[in-house]
Amino acid sequence: MINKNVTPSPARPQRWKASGRTPRILLCGVFGPYGVDDPFGRKENNMELYHNQVTRVQGPASLRFHHRSFGLYFIASNINADVTVLDFPSRRRFIREIQKDYDVVGISFITPNYIKAREMARLVRANAPGSIIVLGGHGAAIEGVEDLIECDHVARGEGIRWMRNFLGQDSSAPIVHPILPCSEYESIFGVPIPGPTPNVLVPGLGCVNACNFCCTTHFFEKAYISFLRTGEDVFRECCRIADARGTNVFSVMDENFLKDCTRARALLAEMEKHQRWFSFYISSSAEAISAFGIDNLIRLGVNMVWIGFESQSADEFAKNAGINAAELVRELRDRGVSVLGSAIICMEHHTPENIGADIDFVVGLGTDMMQFMLYTGMPVTPLYTDHKERGLLKEDMPYEEWHGQNELNWNHPAFPGDEPKRWLDLAFRRDYEANSSSIYRMAETAVRGYKRLAAMESRDPCLEARMQQLALRVRLYSHLLPIIACRAVNEKERERALELDIEQLKLLGPLTVRDRITRLAAKALAARWDLRLRLFGDRIQPSTIVTHYHGGKPDKGL
Ligand code: B12
Ligand code: SF4
């Protein structure tokens, strides 16, 4: 039984209680550099979503985004304490910070960053022996972590409630949603995406679907922990956050946002009532999308949806049973909704003879993007327990390798040695060569969606607003089409990019002077990016971010 909170004894005293002062707390993500082979990490383990596991073989066309460690900001916003959030520190910066002798140091980590968390805890003991160490995040699910890493407490599952309980504060008080950008840095071909980056929205944690390999469902004990319960709650928070950050676009960190169909419908009703048209990047399972209704996705303003297709044998997972995946993708893209699909490589039933067909199946879905990940049971999942019980788990494989982009963490009889990695690389490459770069596909999806809405004889205010938003996306992406054509993976992509540019000009009219200047600037930036990649490689490290909170309020508006 690993999913319970642990307090190794004896824990350090809560010093602030004796003197009656406000506790001083440091909350940290693990230190960088990230995505390099060094004693603490591996080159495959980038601190990036797309370039890590989605567009990583797409060269200069790869999408480059950095995301903060959101859990830390959620905790800081919801406790009465003086909190410093230290995100993306260097090891040296971390040492400097812990020397301030905080009452509590909270370390957030995931399994592949185990060794960094262990080093950070060692440093705290050496530099601030009075500080209480709390471990949290998905790495806390590692079996026996309290004995492997020097610490006072291990917080498993939802952290706000845990921290409030620990501090003796009201654990049932309402949750305050922090105002945060979803990403710090967004660029494609070295060209930054103009305007503010989307806001992050976390309506809740976990998922009730309980797929055997999925840590998010099992870390939160197969329950959905709702931060924003109703559609009205979501709408109200969207208004507050959008007004503060100046953008109506949200990236939703919720594993299965449409699963709560009632809340999603109520959110749409609120938007229609107030004529305020937010747009969203979401994740949802195929069955939840079907239940919500594909046409409703465009009304809700979904720009992109992440769907776990996992494998050709759709019935392997209940969420995909009876779904025609290819039809679903086509219908979504026809409505201007980009699809990020995910697929699993080296499942139990895979053999070198049948895995190629599974890869061809997902490539054939023609999604805008495809994540391929090795079948990896992380601690807390039934898959992990199953592999362990059957003696298949590679128990001596260092956790730094447990990221699903290089080696399997279990012995698959059909894929010894580096075979899994070879299939993984092949899958990414096949998708790129068959379907072109993801940015090309996103541009195409936007055109398809715009054309469909523009062809309608009449549109209500909601669809009119969505059509205008699609027109902006079409024009924005179109500025990259000449760059895509120049750097195309093959002749097919080059031709497609040029044809799409002509098509969008026909749809939206000629470029303005401002458009022409934007295109020239984008070309110059792309040339600079090519040079940067050639001279310095493709690693980008996120900058350190320090934020202070007093009584749940950040020092400076975020
Ligand atoms: C955003 C994200 C990222 C960002 C990282 C942002 C960052 N700065 O760390 C990016 C895109 C870069 C990323 C990359 C990777 N990620 Co990631 N990522 C996520 C994602 C989608 C959302 C996390 C999030 O912000 N949730 C919202 C916040 C509010 O919830 P939370 O983080 O869970 O925090 C709560 C609790 O966990 C707890 N808590 C968290 N920290 C702490 C600390 C303390 C002290 C306490 C008390 C409590 C506490 O309290 C919080 C509030 O309740 C999750 C999936 C998911 N939906 O959870 C995967 C996930 C965390 N990632 C995962 C993995 C494996 C990776 C990668 C290895 C890529 C990959 N192969 O999948 C890389 C590794 C990058 C690296 N070098 O570290 C796994 C972790 C598995 C595990 N068991 O360890 C997850 C669960 C996805 C999955 N299902 O496999 N990721
Ligand atoms: S539907 Fe997605 S989020 Fe939910 S349990 Fe399955 S894989 Fe995890």
Side-chain angles (χ1 to χ4, degrees):
M1 176 67 189
I2 38 179
N3 197 18
K4 67 176 176 22
N5 292 309
V6 179
T7 301
S9 57
R12 275 165 180 65
Q14 301 192 339
R15 296 182 298 200
W16 66 93
K17 282 201 172 150
S19 53
R21 61 180 171 76
T22 308
R24 292 175 58 244
I25 299 180
L26 175 66
L27 296 176
C28 306
V30 296
F31 60 82
Y34 313 97
V36 292
D37 278 332
D38 68 10
F40 302 107
R42 293 291 183 274
K43 66 176 183 318
E44 295 85 7
N45 200 17
N46 276 318
M47 188 53 86
E48 291 188 59
L49 167 60
Y50 299 104
H51 197 57
N52 185 329
Q53 66 233 42
V54 183
T55 56
R56 69 173 165 84
V57 303
Q58 298 185 13
S62 184
L63 276 62
R64 311 302 302 265
F65 288 30
H66 285 141
H67 300 80
R68 293 193 196 192
S69 313
F70 303 116
L72 301 178
Y73 301 84
F74 270 81
I75 297 171
S77 303
N78 284 284
I79 53 176
N80 187 12
D82 289 340
V83 185
T84 300
V85 174
L86 183 61
D87 217 351
F88 311 126
S90 64
R91 190 170 168 280
R92 190 184 300 179
R93 180 68 180 78
F94 175 70
I95 295 174
R96 200 147 44 90
E97 198 60 38
I98 54 179
Q99 285 169 344
K100 294 179 185 164
D101 198 27
Y102 285 91
D103 295 318
V104 180
V105 177
I107 303 170
S108 178
F109 72 110
I110 60 172
T111 306
N113 294 329
Y114 157 78
I115 206 154
K116 292 192 176 188
R118 195 182 67 184
E119 173 66 357
M120 290 167 81
R122 189 190 70 76
L123 289 167
V124 176
R125 284 289 187 257
N127 288 274
S131 297
I132 294 172
I133 300 177
V134 180
L135 304 178
H138 285 264
I142 293 175
E143 275 184 281
V145 72
E146 54 280 359
D147 300 323
L148 300 170
I149 299 183
E150 232 352 283
C151 65
D152 297 283
H153 303 276
V154 180
R156 292 191 169 122
E158 205 282 296
I160 298 174
R161 179 175 279 267
W162 189 95
M163 201 53 110
R164 284 172 167 175
N165 276 331
F166 169 69
L167 297 171
Q169 299 174 4
D170 179 5
S171 63
S172 60
I175 303 279
V176 176
H177 195 300
I179 297 173
L180 289 171
C182 178
S183 23
E184 297 312 306
Y185 175 87
E186 293 188 342
S187 88
I188 308 169
F189 292 111
V191 182
I193 298 173
T197 62
N199 312 301
V200 75
L201 189 75
V202 185
L205 302 177
C207 170
V208 296
N209 277 7
C211 299
N212 72 330
F213 64 89
C214 172
C215 11
T216 17
T217 182
H218 296 287
F219 191 60
F220 299 106
E221 300 183 318
K222 297 182 273 183
Y224 180 69
I225 301 171
S226 168
F227 287 168
L228 303 172
R229 227 170 29 81
T230 65
E232 291 77 9
D233 291 344
V234 178
F235 181 76
R236 191 194 55 244
E237 286 303 281
C238 285
C239 291
R240 186 176 68 87
I241 296 169
D243 290 345
R245 288 205 62 251
T247 171
N248 283 330
V249 185
F250 287 83
S251 206
V252 181
M253 292 284 152
D254 185 307
E255 289 290 82
N256 203 346
F257 181 57
L258 298 179
K259 185 79 186 174
D260 186 344
C261 209
T262 313
R263 181 179 63 184
R265 290 221 170 96
L267 169 62
L268 175 55
E270 283 296 296
M271 285 198 280
E272 292 189 334
K273 182 165 129 197
H274 298 275
Q275 303 275 298
R276 182 146 189 195
W277 311 113
F278 298 118
S279 32
F280 302 98
Y281 293 81
I282 65 168
S283 303
S284 274
S285 54
E287 37 98 43
I289 294 170
S290 302
F292 183 64
I294 296 181
D295 279 318
N296 278 336
L297 256 80
I298 180 71
R299 298 188 73 81
L300 189 65
V302 175
N303 288 349
M304 189 181 89
V305 57
W306 186 338
I307 309 173
F309 294 111
E310 324 305 4
S311 155
Q312 186 171 12
S313 29
D315 295 344
E316 183 105 14
F317 297 102
K319 62 181 179 177
N320 291 331
I323 303 280
N324 182 332
E327 202 175 290
L328 178 64
V329 172
R330 189 175 30 76
E331 290 192 4
L332 286 164
R333 293 190 67 197
D334 280 347
R335 286 161 177 77
V337 180
S338 283
V339 180
L340 164 51
S342 44
I344 309 179
I345 300 289
C346 294
M347 293 180 72
E348 307 269 350
H349 68 275
H350 281 150
T351 64
E353 289 70 43
N354 67 21
I355 194 171
D358 233 12
I359 292 171
D360 287 343
F361 166 77
V362 285
V363 168
L365 296 179
T367 56
D368 300 70
M369 296 188 229
M370 189 52 85
Q371 167 186 284
F372 294 98
M373 190 69 90
L374 294 176
Y375 197 44
T376 307
M378 291 293 204
V380 98
T381 61
L383 181 60
Y384 168 91
T385 313
D386 179 48
H387 281 158
K388 192 172 168 177
E389 283 172 2
R390 288 158 62 204
L392 293 174
L393 198 67
K394 294 183 183 165
E395 299 206 37
D396 53 353
M397 182 167 140
Y399 285 127
E400 301 89 276
E401 295 285 357
W402 290 40
H403 48 66
Q405 285 296 314
N406 187 29
E407 208 184 317
L408 282 174
N409 70 341
W410 60 290
N411 290 304
H412 192 311
F415 298 98
D418 65 356
E419 284 290 297
K421 170 82 162 107
R422 292 202 314 112
W423 283 105
L424 195 64
D425 290 345
L426 178 140
F428 278 115
R429 196 73 210 166
R430 253 188 214 173
D431 178 55
Y432 183 29
E433 288 174 1
N435 293 320
S436 308
S437 60
S438 291
I439 181 60
Y440 162 76
R441 293 181 240 173
M442 289 157 70
E444 186 197 297
T445 302
V447 169
R448 279 159 68 173
Y450 175 80
K451 264 173 38 184
R452 190 167 189 280
L453 284 180
M456 281 182 168
E457 273 180 15
S458 71
R459 290 172 293 274
D460 66 10
C462 176
L463 290 183
E464 185 62 32
R466 298 311 180 195
M467 190 184 78
Q468 299 306 334
Q469 287 170 345
L470 272 164
L472 289 177
R473 260 164 67 203
V474 169
R475 219 352 96 86
L476 182 69
Y477 293 151
S478 81
H479 298 322
L480 293 176
L481 290 170
I483 300 173
I484 296 171
C486 265
R487 290 155 184 80
V489 63
N490 48 30
E491 191 53 25
K492 177 169 146 195
E493 182 177 26
R494 202 185 72 80
E495 281 170 12
R496 285 171 126 182
L498 294 175
E499 279 165 20
L500 195 67
D501 202 15
I502 294 168
E503 186 173 5
Q504 69 84 21
L505 286 170
K506 277 192 205 140
L507 287 169
L508 296 179
L511 299 176
T512 62
V513 174
R514 195 183 164 155
D515 288 331
R516 285 175 198 282
I517 294 171
T518 306
R519 284 195 173 201
L520 278 176
K523 275 188 185 164
L525 287 167
R528 194 177 71 161
W529 184 242
D530 290 341
L531 194 65
R532 150 78 160 83
L533 293 182
R534 225 172 300 130
L535 296 180
F536 304 109
D538 70 350
R539 284 291 162 271
I540 320 173
Q541 298 295 340
S543 312
T544 303
I545 304 171
V546 187
T547 319
H548 300 287
Y549 288 79
H550 300 284
K553 302 235 163 5
D555 266 1
K556 48 182 185 327
L558 284 164

